[in-house]
Each structure stands twice: as C-alpha cells, then as structure tokens.
Amino acid sequence: MSDRLDWFLDRSSPEPLHMQLVRFVKSKIEDGEWSVGMRIPSQRDLAANLKVNRSTVVAAIEELTAMGLLEGRAGGGTYVVNTTWSVLAAKPPLNWLHYVEAGNHRPNLKLVQDINEAEFQPGIIRLGTGELSSELLPQRGMQQILSRLSQGPLWLGYEEGRGNARLRQAIAEHMGRAGIHGSASSILIVSGALQALQLIAMGLLERGSTVLIENPSYANSIHVFQAAGMQVSGIPMDDEGLRASLLPHYRQQTAASLLYTIPSFHNPTGTVMTDRRRSELAQICRQERLPIIEDDVYRDLWFDAPPPAPLKARDPEGMVLYVGSFSKTVSPGLRIGWITGPEPVIARLADIKMQTDYGASSLSQMVAEEWLRSGAYEAHLAELRLALRARRDRALQLLEQYCGGIAQWNKPQGGFYIWMKLSGDVPMVRLFELARQEGILLNPGIIYDRHTSQHLRISYAYATAVDLEYGIRTLSGLIRTLLRGPIDES
Amino acid sequence: MSDRLDWFLDRSSPEPLHMQLVRFVKSKIEDGEWSVGMRIPSQRDLAANLKVNRSTVVAAIEELTAMGLLEGRAGGGTYVVNTTWSVLAAKPPLNWLHYVEAGNHRPNLKLVQDINEAEFQPGIIRLGTGELSSELLPQRGMQQILSRLSQGPLWLGYEEGRGNARLRQAIAEHMGRAGIHGSASSILIVSGALQALQLIAMGLLERGSTVLIENPSYANSIHVFQAAGMQVSGIPMDDEGLRASLLPHYRQQTAASLLYTIPSFHNPTGTVMTDRRRSELAQICRQERLPIIEDDVYRDLWFDAPPPAPLKARDPEGMVLYVGSFSKTVSPGLRIGWITGPEPVIARLADIKMQTDYGASSLSQMVAEEWLRSGAYEAHLAELRLALRARRDRALQLLEQYCGGIAQWNKPQGGFYIWMKLSGDVPMVRLFELARQEGILLNPGIIYDRHTSQHLRISYAYATAVDLEYGIRTLSGLIRTLLRGPIDES
C-alpha cells in the first residue's frame, strides 16, 4: 500500500524493537494513514523492510491485536479493525474500503497496476516500457528552454479553455507540415494523449456503444473506453495495418460508433499502415459514416522515411479526430498533447476539460511552444531518430542471437516496439513472475490482446544497452525452460 | 464557436469580398473545422468581425446555400448541412452533434460556460473572478525558480502514480506546520483541487449517492459531483460556518455518504469556520461516521491571524480527505494541488489518476517543490497577504461609498471573496447582461445557491484598483435602476 515504509527503527534506543514497531503502527493508524479495513504489509515484508527478526514483528502484531487495533483473518493477512478512538466506541468505525469499492470507476487491470508499481522499483530492467530512456530525453535542450523562459514574461494564470493560443498556433503549423490543414481554433490542448481519449469517452460516446480498435491495441491496456461504459471490439491486422475491408462487417455486428486506430508505428506491433491501406480505410469510413480517432503520437519517430500522410490529411468530411503528443518525443513529464477536429467537437471537449481540471499546466504549455517555435524540436528529433534506430538494430541483433528458434518478430521502421511471438504456448503469468524475480519487467501481449498467450511487447526505447542484453538473454533462458513441446536448439 | 475568426479579407484583391467570404467558409468546411450540423456565426457577428456590410455576408451565405453547404432554419440561424464531398453523395453526412449530444458527461452550466468564455474577452472587468490578478502572481519569483531549475538535472519522464516523492515530502512538512501529521505516502499530487474532487467523485462515490455541501457553495458552480451521477444537498451556514448541528437531520433525510466543506475563507461567502464549530463538526461527523472532504485551498491567505486548525488536524479516525492547492497562492497555471487521506483511498485515487492522465506535469511538480523548499513560498505569502488586505480594504470602502443602502456584505478576514446581498429582488440575468454590455463580468450568486436572486460574489483579488472602482460604481447604478420597490437613497 505504501510506496515504502518511511520509518527506521532506532537500535540504540532502550525501547524494545517490537514496542517501537507498535508505536509506528499506532501512529500510522492515529494519523489516519492506515484506515480501518486496510490490510497491513505481510509479516515477511515488514521483517525484510525493517531488517528485524520475524519474531519481533509477530510480537508487535500480537500487542496491537490485544489493543483491538489489528485482527488476523482466517483467509490470511492482518487487517486494521479499529482506530485508537473507535476501539472504545459502540458503533463500528468508518470503513473507507466500502467507499473504494462503491466508486463508479473500475480499477486498472491488476497486471497493469502491478507493472505501474514495479516500474518504480529501483534497478528493475524494463524490457517493454513505452517510454524513452532518460538518456534519450533532451536534458540540455530543456535546460536551455527553461533558462530562456526565465528571462521573459511568464503567464502564471489559468489558460483559456482550449489552451494557450500561441501553442495552438505553433501546433497548427507543425501539423501543416504533415499535410493537415486547420486553424488554432480547432485544436484543444490536453494533458497527454490518454486524456484526449478520456475526454472523448466522456464527451462523445454513449454508455453501451462500441469502439472498434485494432487487435492487438494499446486501447486494450488502458480500458479508458471500458471504464466509461463502452465496449471495444478488435479488428485483425496484417502487414499493411488494420484490415480495412473487414470494417463494414464489424460495424454491422457491433453497431460501432467510432474507430480508434494507431496507423503509424502501431502500439504494440510497430506496424505502419501503408499509403494504400490508409486511402482504403478513409474511403470505407466515409462510406460508413464512421468517425475515426487517429492516434498519431509516434509519427515523428521514423527511421528512414516518414510514414504516409495521416488519415486526417485525407479527411474532406471532417470525420477524423487527430491526437498528437510531446510525450514520445520530448518529455512524457510535460503532459502535453492535443486533439484536432471539428469546432463543435473541440468546444465540447474543451468544456469537459475545464470541468475536470481547468486546463493543462501553463508552464508545460509555454515550454512546448518554445520547443516548436525555436526549432529545437526538429533538431532534437534528428538526433533522437538516429539513437532510436541504433537501439532498434541492437535489439534485433540480440533477439537473433538469443531468441532464434524460440520466437519470431518484426523489424520496426520507427517508434518503440517489437512484437515478439513465441514459437509455442508459454504460461505467461509464470514467465512474468520468474522474470520479475530476475529483476526484469515484461509487458505480456495479453495486455494488448486478451486472447494471446504467445506474445510479448519488447521496447528498445527504454533499457540501456547492457540491461537490454542481460534482459533478452535471461528472457531467452526463461522461455526455453517454460516452453512446452520440442524446442529447436540450433 | 471559434475563439475568433482568424482570417482577414483582402480588400486590395480583385476578387469580390463576398467571394472571399465564400472561399473562407468553404475552407473551414473542407478542413473539417466547421462540421455538419454546426450553426455558423450570425450574419451580424460575421459582418461586425470582418468589418463588411451585412449585404456582403448575405450574398456569401446565399452562394453557399446554393452550393448545398449551408441551410437557413425556420427557427433562425444558418447551419452547415453538407461537406464539399457529401453534397454529391446519396447518404446524409456524418453529424458530429449527434455524438456531442450522446456523451455521458453533462455540459457545464450555461451561465458558467458564458463566464468562462467572457473571461478571455480583452478588456473585460472581472468583478467576481476566483483568481489572483497577474500583478499579485510572483513573476519574479517564478523566473528565479526556473532559472535555478535550468541549472540542475531535470526529471523529464513520467512520475510515479502518487506524484513526485520529493514534492510529497515537502507538502507533508508544509501541512505539518498547520498541525496535520502524515507521511508522503498518504499524499496524492493532483492537477489542481478541482481534479481532486473529480477523482473522488469517480473513485469513491456510488451513482445516486448524496454529497452534503454548504449552502451556498463553490460545489454548486462546478457540478463535478452531479456530472458523476450524485446529488448534492446544501446545509445552511451562519457566521461561524456550516451549521453542524443540522448535519444528523440532513444526513438522515438524504442518506448522504460524504460532506464537502470549505472551512477557511469559504467560497463564496468568505466565512471562517470558528474553532468551536470545527470541533463540533468533527465530533458530529465522528458520531455519524460521515467522511469529510476538507477543501482548504484558501487557508494560507489570512490577513491578521491564521484560521483555526484544519479539521484534518482533529481527525483521529482518518475520516477527512484534505485538499490543498498552489492555485490560489502561487500560480493557477501550475495546475498543482494535493489530497491527503488514508493510504487505501490515496492508492485508489492514484490509480484513477494514472488511468485518466498519467499524472500531473513533472515540470510543474519540480517548480512547486522548489517554491516550498527554498522558502520562497513563505516569503511570497507574506507580501501577498499585505497586498490582498489592502485590496480588501479598498473594496469595502468602495462598497460603502457606492452600494450603501442597496446591499449588505461581510468583512472577510482572508481569501478573495465578499458575499454581497442586494436589499431587494433584482432580475439577475438582466443585471448580468447589462453589466456585460458595460464591460463588466459578474458572478451571480445563483451559481453558488440556485435559490438566491439577491446575491453577488465580489472578488477583490482580480480587478485593478481603477477597474474595481469603475466596476462597483457602474454596478451600483445598474442595481439602482433594476431594483424594484422603494430604494433608500440616503
């Protein structure tokens, strides 16, 4: 529950260690941090974290149980059952967990929660993370921009609903270079692309409606649509991207109201939708009157040539909501992305954004504008593309070396991801846990496609060269151990 | 719909003006910015904005109507009915407005939307805005902090779910000075206090449950609870704050699951809940097992003495979720606030925050930490309190001078607000509109209490001294004109 036990025993104190532990737990309960109904950390975790004998922990828990504050449960685990006050009262104490369980919003997938948490474990090797390594993030460039901003006037107030007008203008020009025509008034600044989807789910879709997505898709990992009461339905892909010709069939079967697609350097497969497929898709969606969310956050991360023009640039009927972001290129921590679409849609989404968080950080918006305006964005991209391509080459070489015969994979032309298919069925939960014990965090394919137990998303964007090699080598060993059936050891 | 018509006619061109306007509207439709179903700006607005004769606009609209793109409606207004492509097609075009209307999330109150929009009209005098004037915001201090940050290592990646650990530690220490004990692990960083409420509404409350609030309350203006399917029910206030003794009655009547209160410098009345009342309220909520959201964003803005200790400092059973923010003191644009509460609640809310926007801006978080750590926050507050007190004095003097006999008001001891009660019924919508024609933006009391037509929220935090005088003098004149019944002109 806690990020860590922010407390240390005083071994030089005359007070026995177990009584110090009793005091610690009491203070957690008295300060309202550990509430009634909460399961406290296990005896083993407490002993390990505090570097004491298990018997010390047991003595403390017995004492606290005698005081009426804790209680062991038959099914296992020790729970807070009273506050120091309520122990004397007739009425049962407030149990926040009833509130936690009552809330509308569904919790994140357990596996995704585990991954979110594990990502902050010191030293863990993140082999599938959808994020640039800190060495690829432009420290120096950001310092220069902050220094420049510190010398001029700063806007510290709230921004207008759609976001900083100068940033929107800069983004309109940036998108113009990709063939998208539109003015600043049809752009909404959001706190990252995920929030764009959140606002669309809240503002444009009916509960019970269906969103078509690629299968596999990043959309399955976030369940932003599901949490708002929508279904998602996945359409198969091939080497050219989403199989557009299947759309009419899927639409008819599901009465879908929207298509969500990632045409450039698709997450998790790395696929680039071909120019031909994009034209076909655009035409079919026009015929079907099926609006599109085009998630194009990886577009600028091409290695040899830019991907084909966005769907939004082939959109004479205004059916595409285009989503962009700075998170995959400059800094995820900025939390700046954008949506471009018809003005009534943008106005509606801006209103909801104002209602939920009063707009994105104005500081982040000033910084993002400066990146675009100054040309630093393009300069950084030129370097980033080279570095990412070198990382991709290295990852492919390591896969060749260690995973030949036990898996297959694609050769991505940009973005972060390799979609790896194991040559046989592997108990994926077991693989995930074994890898974690070896200090390696995996992104199992099931996060993106709940019917696969054969895939892993590998990212070459995050781990260092050394970690990548150790990670892939170790992974190979674990897979070989777990693979049922004959393995080609050639 | 558009923030402005970002286009100008070329009067030196041989192309007739009305044909230029046709081209402009066609490009808006072709680029998908003006979508089918959207009402275009009125002929009057177009003529005024573009500085052309009404006849030019009429000619253009006739042309576009003949092309099948626009259509006048019987009820008034001209609408986009086709895209340049769909005009030839057999099937009706996509109408985004069906999506806008289908969305789950209710739009903001019309009056609040109007105010949000009017706030960005150049030159408008904002007489009720809940925001510090830019001259009260610490430009110089922020520049120094950015300059300092630009010289050290920057964290550009995603933050952990609860937010930057160093900022949470600094906030824990900051709250400790107000008597709140708790560790960094029971704090969640949010993108402003409004998002705190949004997360609580999504994560802890059942649809159909009731939230008790003060009447009047800021909570009525945001309807974050209502949008998530909850009811709100207002409890009367007196000079000491929320009338705590009425709580058991209201709770029984509504089966309420939570109390939302603003005990310090209440929005909109400016009331400070007394020490005695806070103790009474805390005790009653303990007896009732009724959890509390304590919105304490104005706490640090006291003039002569700090307000009594927070409810959270009287909370041995962990029943209070405490909400703080930097928006009312340092910079609204930072979008940084926090929630403190029991760890299972914080974990739940952190998970939802991760699902909706992956955390607050890391840049904003670094800046906020530096404000607290460096002591710049306290130094700024010392100055800010003096400046705000002088503004309060000036506002009270102006009210005395211009509004004696037509209204009554309180003398706030901190925060931003004066709650002004008119001596008779005034048609408030008319007053709002007349004031707006005079360039003055009002916050009618009905936003905070839908049963009052006699109140206005006046803020001395935003308008300049000159604007404040002009605003209050003009307001006085308008009220006197509108007040029905005898007026004491003494």
Side-chain angles (χ1 to χ4, degrees), chain B residues 339-357:
Chain B
I339 315 177
T340 311
E343 288 189 19
V345 175
I346 294 301
R348 164 75 164 146
L349 300 179
D351 178 49
I352 299 179
K353 176 138 175 77
M354 286 299 273
Q355 284 188 62
T356 51
D357 67 8

Side-chain angles (χ1 to χ4, degrees), chain A residues 1 33 85 91-92 96 99 105 139 143 152 154 156 162 183 186 257 289 316 318 331 333 343 348 361-362 364, chain B residues 1 33 85 91-92 96 99 105 139 143 152 154 156 162 183 186 257 289 316 318 331 333 343 348 362 364:
Chain A
M1 278 291 174
E33 298 191 83
W85 285 69
K91 221 166 163 179
W96 273 108
Y99 284 79
H105 202 278
Q139 275 279 342
Q143 287 171 330
L154 298 168
L156 305 182
R162 292 174 203 204
S183 57
S186 58
S257 56
R289 307 285 187 248
S331 160
E343 288 189 20
R348 164 75 164 149
S361 160
S362 58
S364 286
Chain B
M1 279 294 174
E33 299 192 81
W85 286 68
K91 222 166 163 180
W96 274 106
Y99 284 80
H105 202 278
Q139 274 280 340
Q143 286 170 331
L154 297 169
L156 305 183
R162 291 174 204 205
S183 57
S186 57
S257 55
R289 309 284 189 250
S331 160
E343 288 189 19
R348 164 75 164 146
S362 58
S364 286

Side-chain angles (χ1 to χ4, degrees), chain B residues 155-171:
Chain B
W155 175 251
L156 305 183
Y158 293 104
E159 297 284 352
E160 43 186 312
R162 291 174 204 205
N164 181 302
R166 288 162 52 98
L167 173 59
R168 286 186 285 125
Q169 188 54 44
I171 288 173

Side-chain angles (χ1 to χ4, degrees), chain A residues 150-323:
Chain A
S150 76
Q151 286 155 39
L154 298 168
W155 175 253
L156 305 182
Y158 293 104
E159 297 285 352
E160 43 185 313
R162 292 174 203 204
N164 182 304
R166 289 162 50 97
L167 173 59
R168 286 186 286 127
Q169 188 55 45
I171 288 174
E173 288 160 21
H174 172 64
M175 289 193 306
R177 289 188 283 275
I180 297 172
H181 303 291
S183 57
S185 59
S186 58
I187 294 173
L188 170 66
I189 305 298
V190 292
S191 306
L194 179 62
Q195 190 182 52
L197 305 184
Q198 175 72 20
L199 294 172
I200 290 168
M202 290 168 90
L204 299 181
L205 302 177
E206 251 173 315
R207 291 188 93 78
S209 66
T210 296
V211 177
L212 298 175
I213 62 176
E214 281 130 357
N215 192 38
S217 174
Y218 165 70
N220 279 320
S221 75
I222 49 173
H223 86 229
V224 60
F225 298 115
Q226 296 93 321
M230 285 111 224
Q231 324 286 329
V232 297
S233 176
I235 300 179
M237 302 177 70
D238 60 21
D239 288 351
E240 297 198 49
L242 172 81
R243 290 179 58 194
S245 60
L246 301 177
L247 258 177
H249 169 73
Y250 274 84
R251 187 179 202 192
Q252 202 180 7
Q253 286 225 315
T254 59
S257 56
L258 203 73
L259 168 70
Y260 168 80
T261 177
I262 310 167
S264 306
F265 315 120
H266 177 259
N267 180 358
T269 66
T271 310
V272 179
M273 196 184 291
T274 57
D275 190 58
R276 182 175 64 176
R277 183 62 61 79
R278 288 175 194 234
S279 293
E280 184 192 355
L281 179 63
Q283 200 195 339
I284 290 173
C285 285
R286 262 206 307 280
Q287 280 162 5
E288 291 281 326
R289 307 285 187 248
L290 182 67
I292 301 174
I293 307 174
E294 179 175 22
D295 181 343
D296 215 16
V297 299
Y298 300 99
R299 155 163 288 274
D300 287 340
L301 299 175
W302 47 267
F303 297 153
D304 300 308
L311 298 167
K312 184 69 186 162
R314 314 159 193 249
D315 179 35
E317 303 212 29
M319 293 179 52
V320 178
L321 303 181
Y322 182 87
V323 177

